[in-house]
């Protein structure tokens, strides 16, 4: 009886999933159509800017989001930032990176994964800490300072050293820049990372390792090569993945996790 009910539930879930995603994509597309093209990663219209098409002329200057490290010399700082990807990819995905400084240092260290150039794809200090990503303004996803940041930095550095895909890169479905930052989040749950649903590649997992921690490091994830799966977590809430597009429900604060738009809640509308 119980086994029969389980199979019926699974069959219902499988048949309903495409319709749920279709509804989510229609909703996200409708909302996106009413906003500027360069959507911020939170789904808010505030701060949207013009989309650049030539990487050679797209601005990469500081967005002036982070505190001056020289003025905070005695304080340890940790940040995770993300900005919309370049050109058409920015409609769907973001590019994230990690920034930190130890107490006593007067400059930040930035780590990210970049697809071009070959060799080790993990790059250090390639751009300014809070620079625009080819014209797209970044947003702060994670912020820690003081003793908490001091404790996190060596754990973040250890996670960077154990990233398993440093010599490979695939824009879709991964491993990519989102896979890299998700690996750090899984390795350091205390970071409190919550990558948006537009972080395509965050759910990439080897076929031999489909079950484990989600990018936040808290909860449970089932993912088949980053193309199909789901997350149950106190951080990410409930999130479904179909072909790399994520749709779900944030539980605290209550909100929707949508493809194209990211996280949409009462606070971001």
């Amino acid at each position: 009886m119980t086994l029969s009910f389980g199979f019926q539930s699974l069959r219902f879930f499988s048949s309903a999933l495409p319709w749920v995603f279709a509804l989510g994509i229609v909703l996200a597309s409708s909302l996106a159509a009413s906003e500027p093209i360069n959507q911020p990663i939170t789904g808010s219209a505030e701060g949207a800017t013009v989309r650049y098409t030539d990487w050679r002329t797209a601005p990469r200057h500081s967005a002036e989001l982070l505190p001056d490290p020289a003025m905070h010399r005695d304080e340890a700082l940790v940040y995770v930032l993300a900005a919309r990807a370049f050109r058409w990819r920015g409609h769907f995905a973001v590019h994230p990176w990690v920034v930190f400084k130890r107490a006593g240092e007067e400059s930040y260290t930035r780590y990210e994964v970049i697809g071009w150039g070959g060799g080790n794809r993990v790059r250090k200090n390639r751009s300014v800490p809070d620079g625009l990503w080819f014209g797209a303004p970044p947003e702060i996803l994670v912020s820690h300072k003081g003793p908490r940041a001091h404790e996190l930095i060596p754990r973040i550095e250890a996670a960077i050293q154990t990233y398993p895909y440093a010599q490979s890169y695939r824009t879709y479905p991964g491993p990519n820049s989102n896979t890299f930052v998700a690996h750090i989040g899984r390795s350091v749950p205390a970071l409190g990372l919550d990558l948006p649903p537009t972080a395509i590649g965050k759910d990439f997992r080897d076929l031999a390792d489909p079950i484990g921690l989600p990018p936040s490091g808290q909860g449970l994830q089932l993912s088949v090569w980053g193309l199909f799966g789901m997350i149950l977590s106190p951080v990410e809430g409930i999130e479904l993945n179909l072909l790399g597009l994520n749709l779900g429900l944030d539980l605290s604060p209550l909100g929707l996790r949508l493809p194209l738009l990211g996280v949409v809640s009462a606070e971001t509308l």
Side-chain angles (χ1 to χ4, degrees):
M1 180 75 174
T2 303
L3 185 61
S4 174
F5 175 77
F7 279 122
Q8 290 176 3
S9 300
L10 181 60
R11 189 161 45 245
F12 172 78
F13 175 79
S14 300
S15 62
L17 186 58
W19 293 102
V20 172
F21 265 88
L23 179 61
I25 292 173
V26 168
L27 175 59
S29 300
S30 299
L31 290 172
S34 66
E35 303 292 355
I37 291 177
N38 193 16
Q39 293 289 337
I41 62 175
T42 58
S44 169
E46 183 178 355
T49 59
V50 175
R51 172 90 48 197
Y52 291 86
T53 58
D54 187 341
W55 64 269
R56 292 167 296 187
T57 58
R60 303 283 304 274
H61 60 264
S62 171
E64 299 183 358
L65 283 179
L66 303 183
D68 185 336
M71 295 183 64
H72 292 261
R73 184 181 184 279
D74 297 329
E75 190 172 37
L77 299 170
V78 170
Y79 298 95
V80 178
L81 298 93
R84 286 281 173 170
F86 185 54
R87 299 186 66 178
W88 61 268
R89 297 178 185 85
H91 290 284
F92 300 93
V94 299
H95 172 79
W97 61 93
V98 177
V99 171
F100 58 80
K101 67 170 276 317
R102 288 181 166 84
E105 295 179 339
E106 296 187 356
S107 61
Y108 289 109
T109 300
R110 169 173 168 163
Y111 281 98
E112 66 201 307
V113 156
I114 294 178
W116 59 86
N120 191 333
R121 306 305 175 95
V122 178
R123 308 294 167 80
K124 179 180 178 181
N125 293 334
R126 185 180 176 89
S127 303
V128 297
D130 58 356
L132 276 65
W133 183 249
F134 296 100
E139 295 182 28
I140 296 175
L141 302 183
V142 170
S143 174
H144 295 288
K145 63 181 180 178
R148 176 74 171 230
H150 175 77
E151 294 174 1
L152 289 173
I153 290 172
R155 299 172 64 184
I156 292 171
E157 289 180 317
I160 292 170
Q161 295 302 316
T162 60
Y163 178 59
Y165 308 111
Q167 299 297 323
S168 61
Y169 183 92
R170 186 187 298 109
T171 301
Y172 174 83
N176 57 27
S177 61
N178 288 299
T179 314
F180 170 67
V181 173
H183 169 76
I184 296 174
R186 289 188 184 96
S187 303
V188 191
L191 185 62
L193 178 66
D194 182 9
L195 284 170
T198 47
I200 294 176
K202 69 181 178 66
D203 300 320
F204 179 84
R205 305 179 69 97
D206 281 338
L207 289 175
D209 182 32
I211 300 175
L213 295 173
S216 66
Q218 303 179 52
L220 180 67
Q221 179 181 45
L222 167 65
S223 180
V224 180
W225 220 44
L227 292 174
F228 304 95
M230 68 180 301
I231 289 174
L232 298 174
S233 167
V235 178
E236 289 101 332
I238 303 168
E239 189 173 272
L240 305 176
N241 173 14
L242 180 62
L243 298 178
L245 296 177
N246 293 285
L247 173 69
L249 181 67
D250 253 348
L251 303 178
S252 180
L254 192 63
L256 296 175
R257 303 176 69 89
L258 296 172
L260 306 181
L261 285 184
V263 179
V264 178
S265 66
E267 296 178 359
T268 58
L269 289 176

